[in-house]
Amino acid sequence: MIDHDGPGDARLGRDTRELLDPHHHRASIHVGDRLIVDPDQVLANVAMAMERLDLDTSTPVSIEEDVASLEELVALVDHFAQGPSLVAHTLNTAARVVNARYPAELVHRPLPHDCDLRRLFHADVDEHSQNIARAVFNQRLAQAADVRDTEVAVDLHGLTSQQQIEVFMAVFFLYGTKVGALQNRTGIR
């Protein structure tokens, strides 16, 4: 139990309880100048946001506010070296969600090369990161089995931490684009 001596201690107590609560979405807390991150909760937040987006594509989703803060993503990629795990999890979640609701022939159809997130959403992602994201996204939707983080690591090899985060964000937005197209084509809402 944390002793609550002042307002800062009370907040730390609440934040800590939220981080430890398996039903709460909190994925990190600050303790002094240190950030403590629960990588599993970050991944759970990614999946939850993706499922919510599929249920209502008109719901605005902000990665920073609804999924994971930039600080949490940097910790995951830089300090835990889980960039490939983050991208693989996002790819596998995307495949799980769309395969459960939409016709296979539409799910397996690749996003075209001219699907440019910078043009569609003014996304801040470099061309190389976007091309990698589109390639791994299309590959994953074309296969039945989950992609392993070791496979994604090959695609992310040589990328900076920032570029790995951009690939994750691009995969997330490509998923939203794909879901919107699938819903438009099938009428499923």
Side-chain angles (χ1 to χ4, degrees):
M1 178 61 69
I2 295 176
D3 186 19
H4 301 290
D5 292 344
D9 291 333
R11 178 178 167 83
L12 178 63
R14 185 190 78 225
D15 292 352
T16 301
R17 284 191 302 278
E18 289 174 357
L19 182 64
L20 296 174
D21 182 349
H23 303 292
H24 198 280
H25 68 278
R26 178 178 287 281
S28 66
I29 59 171
H30 283 93
V31 178
D33 62 346
R34 293 182 20 190
L35 177 70
I36 298 174
V37 177
D38 178 353
D40 291 334
Q41 187 61 52
V42 173
L43 298 178
N45 290 350
V46 169
M48 186 172 51
M50 293 174 78
E51 290 164 0
R52 190 175 67 221
L53 184 61
D54 179 56
L55 294 175
D56 185 4
T57 57
S58 66
T59 299
V61 175
S62 164
I63 289 178
E64 180 78 20
E65 294 173 19
D66 300 317
V67 180
S69 70
L70 182 57
E71 229 179 354
E72 291 167 346
L73 293 173
V74 168
L76 211 60
V77 173
D78 272 350
H79 303 294
F80 292 109
Q82 288 193 357
S85 296
L86 175 64
V87 173
H89 173 74
T90 307
L91 291 167
N92 291 331
T93 301
R96 178 181 49 79
V97 171
V98 297
N99 280 313
R101 285 191 71 194
Y102 305 101
E105 64 275 5
L106 296 177
V107 168
H108 297 238
R109 188 171 297 156
L111 290 171
H113 185 69
D114 65 349
C115 180
D116 187 337
L117 297 171
R118 295 165 300 168
R119 183 176 42 82
L120 294 171
F121 302 110
H122 305 290
D124 186 20
V125 58
D126 73 28
E127 185 171 357
H128 184 61
S129 298
Q130 178 176 249
N131 289 341
I132 290 171
R134 188 182 319 102
V136 296
F137 185 81
N138 285 337
Q139 288 168 4
R140 175 59 188 96
L141 291 186
Q143 64 190 38
D146 279 352
V147 67
R148 294 187 319 262
D149 57 345
T150 54
E151 296 169 285
V152 173
V154 172
D155 295 303
L156 300 183
H157 179 73
L159 296 183
T160 66
S161 296
Q162 178 181 340
Q163 288 174 314
Q164 290 182 44
I165 291 169
E166 286 178 0
V167 170
F168 154 70
M169 291 187 332
V171 167
F172 189 92
F173 285 116
L174 289 170
Y175 163 77
T177 301
K178 181 75 170 189
V179 166
L182 289 167
Q183 289 185 359
N184 187 46
R185 177 92 159 106
T186 63
I188 297 173
R189 297 272 179 223

